Structure formats: structure tokens, C-alpha cells
Amino acid sequence: MASLNVGNLGNLGDYLREQRRTAQLSLRQLAEAAGVSNPYLSQIERGLRKPSAEVLQQVAKALRISAETLYVRAGILDEKEREELETRAVILADPSINERQKQVLLQIYDSFRKENAAEVASGAVSEPAPESGPGPVPAAAPAPDADEPPSS
């Protein structure tokens, strides 16, 4: 049977197959773990079916990979949105900071994103702040000539 490859779904199917093989799962094992039928999963891998976000989430969970990555490959989510979601996920999953600190970090992250989006929209993109230090160092005064007597 010829593959119909609906849009970018061939890429999704190839990626799913690669991930399934890396996880050393048969098609039947993955279908069972994800709660979908074996023929349906086979059709997804061959690019014949477009899975819903819910099915992709179930498959991602069974493969222990990021659902957002599958969403991007399926064209449900763009790369920029995925990066934002992954940043949030990393902050929320960090066991070394407490819940209040996580919420504060997310608020700061959101405010920076809004500020930068507003600057891009207005065309006034500012230069990044210096890495450290108070700013430019003033030029030193010229040293007095050795021939001149010191001023009193």
C-alpha cells in the first residue's frame, strides 16, 4: 500500500518509529501502553493518519518523551511555543527550589517575554545589558609630564 504522507506526518511517523525502536518496544507493545489500537498506531507511523493531541500525549507518555516534541512534529505546536513550554516544565520540575520560588521565576520569565515582545512589535529592540559591572569605565586623566613640576 502506498504511503499518503499527510503534510508533515511522514516525519512524525518516522520519528515515532525511531523512538519506539530506541525504547525497544514492538508496535503492539507501544499501542497497548498508549491505549491505542495496533493498526491505528501503524497507520500513524506510516503517515496515513493524523493523530489527535490526546493520542500524541498518550504515545509520548508510553515512550517517556516530551509530548511537546510530538506536537511540533505533527504541526500542532510551533517550535517557539514548544521552547516556552519546555522552559516552564524545567522550572516546575526543579526539586531544588520551592513552589513560591517557581511561581516567582515564572512571573519574571513572563514579564521578560512580554517586554521583549513589546519591543519587537514597536521596532525598538534594546541592546542587551552588560554581563557585569556598573558600566563603562571613565578614561583616566593623563599622567603629568616628568619635566613639569608637580602642582601644589
Side-chain angles (χ1 to χ4, degrees):
M1 178 181 218
S3 176
L4 298 177
N5 280 349
V6 183
N8 200 25
L9 295 180
N11 186 17
L12 170 66
D14 293 340
Y15 181 75
L16 280 176
R17 185 178 302 111
E18 178 186 315
Q19 294 300 311
R20 177 176 57 78
R21 289 179 177 162
T22 300
Q24 299 180 335
L25 293 172
S26 70
L27 192 63
R28 189 174 308 280
Q29 288 170 320
L30 178 56
E32 186 178 315
V36 298
S37 74
N38 187 36
Y40 182 61
L41 185 57
S42 174
Q43 290 172 344
I44 293 170
E45 280 193 2
R46 290 181 288 141
L48 301 175
R49 292 287 183 136
K50 182 176 181 177
S52 67
E54 183 180 332
V55 168
L56 288 174
Q57 184 173 15
Q58 292 169 230
V59 170
K61 186 175 180 182
L63 288 170
R64 298 178 187 214
I65 61 173
S66 162
E68 288 79 14
T69 300
L70 294 184
Y71 297 160
V72 170
R73 291 199 178 254
I76 296 171
L77 188 67
D78 74 19
E79 187 68 25
K80 213 172 204 181
E81 290 172 305
R82 181 184 69 94
E83 289 170 359
E84 179 185 348
L85 288 172
E86 286 181 351
T87 300
R88 291 176 178 285
V90 168
I91 291 170
L92 292 172
D94 189 336
S96 66
I97 58 177
N98 66 39
E99 289 305 311
R100 185 188 61 78
Q101 292 167 330
K102 290 175 185 180
Q103 292 308 313
V104 169
L105 270 175
L106 289 173
Q107 288 172 352
I108 292 169
Y109 177 70
D110 285 339
S111 70
F112 283 151
R113 288 181 53 81
K114 287 176 187 170
E115 180 182 317
N116 291 343
E119 286 179 0
V120 168
S122 71
V125 179
S126 63
E127 289 296 314
E131 294 280 330
S132 63
V137 177
D145 256 354
D147 295 338
E148 292 182 25
S151 56
S152 358

